Amino acid sequence: MSGVPSCSTDDGNTVLNATPKRVYAKNCIRCKESKPIIVFRTTDTLCWPCYREVITKKFKNNISKSRSDKRELETFAVSLSGGPSSMVMLDLIDQCIGENVKRAKMFFKVHAIHIDQSVLRGLNGNSNSNDSEDNNTGLAIQKQLEEICSSYKVPLTIVPLENIYGDANETREQRRQQLVEVFEQMESNNTSKEDLLEHFRAQLVYETAHKLGLGRILNGSSSNRLAIRLLSSTSKGRGNSVPNETNLLDYHRTSTTVCHPMRDFLLKEIAIYHRYLGLQDLTVPSNPFHSINLNQSSHKASINTLCENFINTLQDISSQTIHTLLRSVDKLHSPVADESMFCSVCSCSLTKSEIETLKKSVGERINNSNSNNNTKCSTTTTNNQATSCCSTDSSKSCCSNDNNNNNNNNNNNNNNCCSDNSSTPLNLHTLCYSCRNILDKKSTTLTLPPYIKENSKTMVHSYQLRNEIKDFLLNDDDDEDDDN
Ligand SMILES: [Zn+2]
Ligand SMILES: [Zn+2]
């Protein structure tokens, strides 16, 4: 303190001491040799090799926590957007399992999945350059990702976003058209469009991972991203699923688990790591809708950007904000009212009251169709019309799905008689509160991806089935009676 100059004021002669600037070690505090590149967590000055080691150690720790059986050679799906966070995650994975790892090598495999959303570049008001150039940028990103993945010796699967409409039925151009139309015709705001895009992307990653037979997905969301999601989800009425969306492990799809191993790292720390890797930023915009209605300033374009701006400002004022937020949500768990009742769009679990409303609506439908049973593909459960392909009376029904697997498989490859989605309207009660807000009443006229109606239908059917057989089920009390 002695070196800090003090000054005296004229009035009262009080002596004011200037706040001393924090003095950092000139060399890296770990190896005591090299020049530091970062002040890590406000105190530790670290050089690049030491910084990489510290980050890798934390990352390894998170990966171990997310594994169920460490002796099993598990394969993770890696969701790869091309942005700094997912690219750094890829390098960290290489630090865990790569050929050059000498010490404490981990045993698991990875398979990268990239969702190519170049189809959205053509949205109205969003194309600044001509189509061929856009295509080139999309292809260029894919090519670079392929090169990077092959340098890490990681297999890569690229899935175009329009495949949310299945990958067999229509031509690629038709699927692209359908997707663009949904976003263009949605009357709602940017927030809804961004959220729907997010759900589509997540759904495609799940489907692809499922097809590849992978049960765990590594998602590279940074702590900034997760804290922003915590705030934005809460403000959009998704508080119920916030713990699932932001904690290290997300169990909301019973057959697939999403892990967030980058949860401990701030975007700033990731950016520094990314710069030292010398990789190009291949980020695809997560909010491609902003340029459509840009009469407002960009950070007010949606709830998501508003939350992003708010969290970043708070983080600038106090560097502990994000960690404190995430540590608090650590202590919470998403309640699961019924394991087979999931939102048809985002797969978060429905709340008790939502399930009650759904049951009521299904009950009403049964009554209606009883009085009017000449409808094709009726959902009637009481009269066993053997001719109706969709009858729910037996497991041989072409539409029946394994009840245990519903919502997780989301197979949209059923070309069966019931896939005529345009005829039956979507049952909005099979959606969670926030997805009902995204797809308001007018949106039901849109050609939504088939997986949504499949999920919705499966859930209604399985409820009806359970309702039918409930009188024949033995409960625990009956068992005891038998024993006696
Ligand atoms: Zn060092
Ligand atoms: Zn939902």
Side-chain angles (χ1 to χ4, degrees), residues 199 238 343-348 350 430-436:
H199 296 322
R238 300 183 59 85
C343 168
S344 300
V345 176
C346 72
S347 294
C348 74
L350 297 181
T430 58
L431 309 186
C432 69
Y433 169 76
S434 82
C435 290
R436 279 203 303 279

Side-chain angles (χ1 to χ4, degrees), residues 27-36 45-51:
N27 286 337
C28 165
I29 60 151
R30 273 178 113 232
C31 61
K32 313 260 189 280
E33 283 172 4
S34 310
K35 211 168 157 261
T45 51
L46 296 172
C47 68
W48 165 234
C50 295
Y51 179 55

